[in-house]
Amino acid sequence: MTGATDNSYTPIVFVRQSLHNVLQSQTFVVDAERDGDAEAVDHFTRAQHNNIRAAETGKRLLQTRLGGAGSS
């Protein structure tokens, strides 16, 4: 769907978006904590952890695409 011919492009964008979501989720967590909304804090914290895991798996995929270069 992206039209990219470089097989590293999509994993790069995926990792970038996942890490962006981690940072954005932190903003939501802070706001929910300020408002005393424990349910929202829990939700956004879980979402943040899911995005961290997604970024890590995307990073591993990207490492295989780049021939195993770099470290985790």
Side-chain angles (χ1 to χ4, degrees):
M1 297 290 302
T2 65
T5 57
D6 180 350
N7 71 350
S8 298
Y9 175 79
T10 302
I12 289 169
V13 173
F14 179 83
V15 169
R16 184 217 168 269
Q17 186 61 49
S18 295
L19 293 173
H20 172 78
N21 291 345
V22 169
L23 294 174
Q24 188 65 56
S25 295
Q26 185 59 36
T27 300
F28 297 152
V29 168
V30 169
D31 289 347
E33 286 173 337
R34 182 198 62 229
D35 295 341
D37 188 344
E39 183 180 21
V41 169
D42 182 55
H43 173 75
F44 294 128
T45 300
R46 280 185 283 122
Q48 186 176 44
H49 289 244
N50 289 338
N51 277 286
I52 290 168
R53 282 193 299 274
E56 289 298 324
T57 60
K59 217 167 75 171
R60 286 192 293 274
L61 174 62
L62 187 55
Q63 285 174 334
T64 63
R65 297 281 170 95
L66 298 175
S71 61
S72 8

